Amino acid sequence: MNHWLTAPILIPLIGGILQAFMGYAPIALRRTLAIATTVLMLVAAIVLLVLADDGSYRLYAFGNWQPPFGIVLVLDRLAALMLVMTAVLALFCHIYAIGGTDESSRQFHGLFLFQLLGLNIAFLTGDLFNLFVAFEVLLIASYGLLMHGEGTSRTVPGLHYVVLNLAGSAVFLIAVGMIYSVTGTLNMADLAIKIPQVAEENLPLVKAGGMMLLVVFGLKAAILPLCFWLPGAYSNATAPVAALFAVMTKVGIYAIIRVFTLIFGNQAGELASLGMDWLFPLALITLTMGVIGALGAASLRKLVAWQVIISVGTLLAAISFGTVAGTSAALFYLLNTTWVVGGLFLVADLVDGQRGSAQDKIVTAPRIANRTFLSVLFLMGAVASVGLPPLSGFFAKLLILKSAVTESDVAWLWSVLLIGSFFTLIAYSRAGSIVFWRNVEGHIEEPQKLTPSLSISASALISLSIVIVILAGPISRYAEDTAAQLHDTSAYTDILSKPMVGEEK
Amino acid sequence: MELAFAVVIGALTASGVYLMLRARTFPVVVGLTMLSYGVNLFLFSSGRLATGGQPIIGSAETYSDPLPQALVLTAIVIGFAMTAFVVVLSLRSLADNDNDDHVNGRVPEQDSTPQDQEQEGANT
C-alpha cells in the first residue's frame, strides 16, 4: 500500500470541487488556485515517476480489500510516464488558458481539473470497470470543455462527439459484461491469469469481448474507420482545450497497450496477440488517411488535427508488433508527439489572433504581426512532427522504423511512414509559406496582444522537443525499461499476492 | 426466462441502433437511451439469471453474484447523466441552427442554388 498513488487523483478532485463552488470568486483567485492545483499535480506525478523507476509495482487497494475483490490503483513505469506527460501538457495548456480563454465561462477551471482527474484515474487504475468509469469522467468533462467558448460553431461537432462516445461507452459495457460472464473478474491482474485458462467453449465469447474492447479503444484513439469525428471536434475547440485533447487520443492508445499486452498478450494461450494482426494494416491506413487530410486541410487548426491522426497511426503501427523494441519506440514517439501537437494547436491559435479576418485559414493575407516569433515556433513544431533532424521527431521515427523486424513489416512500415512523412512535410511547407510569406497589401487591424502567458506556454511546449533531444539518453532508457516491464506480465500478476495493511509482518 | 430476456435485450439494442442512425437529434437521443437500457440488462445478465438468489452466501439456498448488480447501478447512473447532457446539447443545437434539429445542423439540400453553396463554403 502506498498512499502517494492517490495524490494525482485527489489533487485535481479537490481543486476541481473548490473551483465548482468558486464560480463567482474574483478571477485572479480562481486562476491562482487552479494553477497551483496543476503544479501540485505535476509535482505528485514526478514523485511517482521517481518511485516507479525502480521497476517494482506499487499498489493502492481502496478500503484495504485484497485484490481481486476491491478496486486497486497500480503504479508502474508506464502509468508514471503517462501521468508526467499529461501533467506537463496540462500545466502549459492551463497557463495558456489564463491568457484569456478562461474568461468566457465561470466553470472552465473546474472542468479542466475534472478532465485531468479522469485522465489520471484511467492511467492508474488496475480494474477494467474502473477504466470505464475513468473514461466517463474524462469524457463528461471533455464535453463541457469542447462546448466552452463563444459562438455556435461548436455545437454540431460537439453533438457528433458526444453521441459517438456514448455509443462507444455502450460497446465498452457490453465487452466488460462478456468478459465478466466468463472469467468472473474484472481486475486486470486477475484477468491476465484467468484468460489463458478459459474453457474451449467460452473462448469465442471472450474473444468477441476482447475485439469489442479494441473497437472502443480504437474509437478513443481515432483509428481509421472511427476517426472522422476528430478533425471537426478538435479544430473547433478553443486552443488550450484542443491542446489538452492531444492527450485524449493517447488514453485510447494507453488502454490498448495496457490491455493487449497484459490481458491478451503473448502469454494469453489461445487468445495471444488478439487483434494485433488487424491493428497493423489499420494503423498504416490511418496514417495514410491522416496525411491525405493534412494535405487537404484548409486551416492551420485542421492541419494540426490531422497531425493527431497521423501520430495515432504511427504509434499503433509500432505497438502492433508486440515487441519490446516496438513498444519502447512508440513510447518515445508518444512523448514527442503529444507535447509538440499540443504546442502546435496553441501556435495555430496565436497565428489566428494576429491575422484579423483571415484567421488561421491557409490563404494569402496581409503580413501578420509578430511574424518572426510565430514562424519560428511553427517551423520548429513542423520539423518536430514531420520528423526531420535535429529535433526529437526524427529520433522517434528512427526508433519506430528500426523496430520493424520481419521483411514484410519493414517493407510496409518503411514505405508508408517515409512517404507519409514526405507528404506531411509538403503539407506543412505549403501551409507555412502561404501563411507567413505570401502577403498581400493591407494591414491587420488590432492584432491580438501576445501576453507573456500566451507566448511562453506555446513556445515552452514546442521547445520541449529540444529538451527531449537533450535528454534522449535517459528518456529512451526509461522507455525501454517500461516496455520490458510491460512485456514481463508475470510481475504484474504478483500484485494479487501482496499483503494488505495489517497483514504485513 | 433466458429466451425472453435475450429477446428483450435484442429488441432494445436493435431499435436503439436503428434510431441512432436517424438524421434528427430527437430519434438519436431516444436511440441512445434504448441502447443504454439494452446494455444495462445485458450487463445484469452477466452474473447469470436466477430467481430467489440472494447476494449473500449462506442466507438462501442459492446465491446470486452481487458484482454485476453494482456494475449495472454505476452504469445506470452514468448513462442517466449522459442522457441528460445529450438532451440539453441537442436542444442547444436546435436553438443554434434556426430550429433545425438535423444532426449536421442543417438539412443537406440536393439541388442547392450557387448562392447557398457559397454560404456553405463560408460556414465550413
Side-chain angles (χ1 to χ4, degrees):
Chain A
M1 289 279 269
N2 188 324
H3 291 276
W4 267 105
L5 263 62
T6 53
I9 295 174
L10 288 181
I11 292 169
L13 177 67
I14 294 169
I17 291 174
L18 274 179
Q19 294 287 338
F21 287 112
M22 284 177 27
Y24 288 89
I27 194 157
L29 177 65
R30 277 188 280 145
R31 284 175 174 169
T32 319
L33 267 178
I35 289 287
T37 316
T38 319
V39 171
L40 265 179
M41 205 187 89
L42 177 62
V43 172
I46 291 173
V47 169
L48 290 184
L49 183 80
V50 174
L51 269 182
D53 199 23
D54 66 354
S56 64
Y57 288 91
R58 282 182 176 71
L59 182 73
Y60 181 85
F62 283 100
N64 202 27
W65 286 93
Q66 173 80 40
F69 299 111
I71 292 173
V72 285
L73 299 180
V74 181
L75 176 79
D76 63 348
R77 285 202 176 100
L78 177 64
L81 179 73
M82 301 300 289
L83 285 177
V84 170
M85 186 184 84
T86 310
V88 169
L89 180 73
L91 179 62
F92 289 122
C93 295
H94 216 151
I95 295 175
Y96 189 93
I98 283 181
T101 325
D102 60 344
E103 281 163 7
S104 55
S105 155
R106 297 193 179 278
Q107 297 302 341
F108 177 83
H109 292 296
L111 286 172
F112 195 94
L113 293 172
F114 285 134
Q115 166 95 63
L116 298 178
L117 164 76
L119 287 165
N120 289 349
I121 302 177
F123 295 142
L124 279 171
T125 183
D127 184 285
L128 212 51
F129 193 78
N130 206 17
L131 185 66
F132 163 76
V133 176
F135 273 11
E136 295 306 308
V137 172
L138 72 91
L139 282 176
I140 197 143
S142 79
Y143 301 155
L145 282 176
L146 191 67
M147 295 293 135
H148 169 84
E150 283 143 10
T152 60
S153 61
R154 293 177 193 91
T155 326
V156 169
L159 187 69
H160 294 177
Y161 176 75
V162 173
V163 171
L164 210 64
N165 276 303
L166 285 181
S169 307
V171 179
F172 198 160
L173 279 176
I174 295 175
V176 164
M178 282 170 141
I179 292 176
Y180 182 81
S181 69
V182 173
T183 59
T185 179
L186 288 172
N187 181 292
M188 291 190 197
D190 203 23
L191 276 176
I193 296 174
K194 295 260 172 71
I195 291 280
Q197 304 164 356
V198 168
E200 187 73 37
E201 72 266 22
N202 289 329
L203 268 181
L205 208 55
V206 180
K207 196 170 178 181
M211 291 304 268
M212 282 169 92
L213 280 184
L214 189 63
V215 171
V216 181
F217 299 153
L219 174 69
K220 309 278 182 245
I223 308 181
L224 179 70
L226 307 166
C227 72
F228 295 101
W229 55 272
L230 189 142
Y234 280 32
S235 58
N236 281 302
T238 48
V241 174
L244 181 67
F245 278 16
V247 83
M248 293 275 284
T249 51
K250 276 63 182 182
V251 182
I253 288 172
Y254 164 82
I256 290 178
I257 298 181
R258 177 67 84 202
V259 170
F260 288 87
T261 56
L262 178 66
I263 301 177
F264 300 106
N266 295 326
Q267 78 305 327
E270 292 279 312
L271 296 170
S273 307
L274 178 73
M276 287 300 124
D277 42 346
W278 282 83
L279 208 53
F280 184 64
L282 279 179
L284 291 187
I285 304 172
T286 310
L287 177 60
T288 318
M289 183 71 211
V291 172
I292 295 171
L295 280 173
S299 69
L300 286 185
R301 282 202 183 90
K302 277 258 158 62
L303 177 64
V304 186
W306 283 106
Q307 174 66 44
V308 174
I309 293 179
I310 296 175
S311 54
V312 166
T314 317
L315 277 168
L316 286 175
I319 290 166
S320 66
F321 295 140
T323 59
V324 173
T327 313
S328 81
L331 291 174
F332 191 88
Y333 182 73
L334 184 72
L335 273 187
N336 166 60
T337 186
T338 310
W339 288 340
V340 169
V341 166
L344 275 175
F345 271 119
L346 300 184
V347 172
D349 188 59
L350 287 180
V351 170
D352 184 336
Q354 308 298 316
R355 289 181 86 212
S357 59
Q359 294 176 323
D360 64 333
K361 293 192 196 99
I362 304 178
V363 291
T364 52
R367 186 189 152 126
I368 86 168
N370 297 306
R371 186 167 74 169
T372 320
F373 173 64
L374 289 176
S375 58
V376 167
L377 279 189
F378 183 79
L379 175 74
M380 281 172 58
V383 165
S385 21
V386 174
L388 293 176
L391 294 185
S392 55
F394 172 71
F395 297 100
K397 283 203 174 165
L398 198 65
L399 284 173
I400 288 182
L401 289 176
K402 274 170 66 183
S403 69
V405 187
T406 63
E407 262 179 32
S408 66
D409 283 355
V410 171
W412 279 106
L413 182 71
W414 282 53
S415 52
V416 173
L417 191 56
L418 291 178
I419 297 173
S421 301
F422 174 68
F423 281 108
T424 322
L425 178 66
I426 293 180
Y428 276 109
S429 347
R430 173 178 152 269
S433 52
I434 293 176
V435 169
F436 294 108
W437 288 344
R438 206 178 296 167
N439 299 325
V440 295
E441 289 295 311
H443 74 286
I444 310 280
E445 282 174 25
E446 289 182 51
Q448 179 198 22
K449 221 169 149 263
L450 280 187
T451 55
S453 81
L454 297 182
S455 43
I456 288 175
S457 49
S459 39
L461 267 181
I462 297 275
S463 23
L464 279 176
S465 67
I466 301 175
V467 176
I468 297 177
V469 174
I470 297 170
L471 297 177
I475 293 178
S476 59
R477 197 269 309 156
Y478 188 88
E480 270 165 36
D481 287 351
T482 310
Q485 190 184 23
L486 275 171
H487 286 275
D488 174 26
T489 52
S490 59
Y492 192 101
T493 51
D494 283 347
I495 61 168
L496 289 176
S497 52
K498 277 201 180 170
M500 292 289 98
V501 173
E503 295 173 1
E504 290 170 85
K505 288 209 175 98
Chain B
M1 183 164 65
E2 274 83 2
L3 182 68
F5 204 79
V7 168
V8 169
I9 294 176
L12 277 172
T13 313
S15 33
V17 170
Y18 174 77
L19 286 174
M20 267 175 63
L21 298 173
R22 303 276 82 199
R24 304 264 158 201
T25 49
F26 180 70
V28 170
V29 172
V30 175
L32 278 173
T33 318
M34 297 185 90
L35 186 65
S36 75
Y37 289 162
V39 168
N40 287 341
L41 285 176
F42 179 84
L43 203 55
F44 184 70
S45 71
S46 70
R48 302 296 184 274
L49 297 173
T51 43
Q54 286 186 15
I56 299 164
I57 296 179
S59 62
E61 292 266 304
T62 55
Y63 72 95
S64 64
D65 191 347
L67 194 72
Q69 303 176 13
L71 300 186
V72 170
L73 208 60
T74 317
I76 289 174
V77 173
I78 291 176
F80 214 66
M82 295 295 179
T83 311
F85 182 79
V86 82
V87 167
V88 173
L89 184 59
S90 31
L91 285 175
R92 162 91 185 265
S93 166
L94 185 73
D96 279 355
N97 294 300
D98 307 324
N99 275 330
D100 192 344
D101 72 341
H102 193 272
V103 284
N104 281 336
R106 54 156 62 205
V107 183
E109 281 172 46
Q110 296 297 328
D111 48 348
S112 54
T113 58
Q115 206 177 358
D116 280 352
Q117 279 170 354
E118 245 171 51
Q119 235 178 2
E120 216 167 311
N123 286 341
T124 46

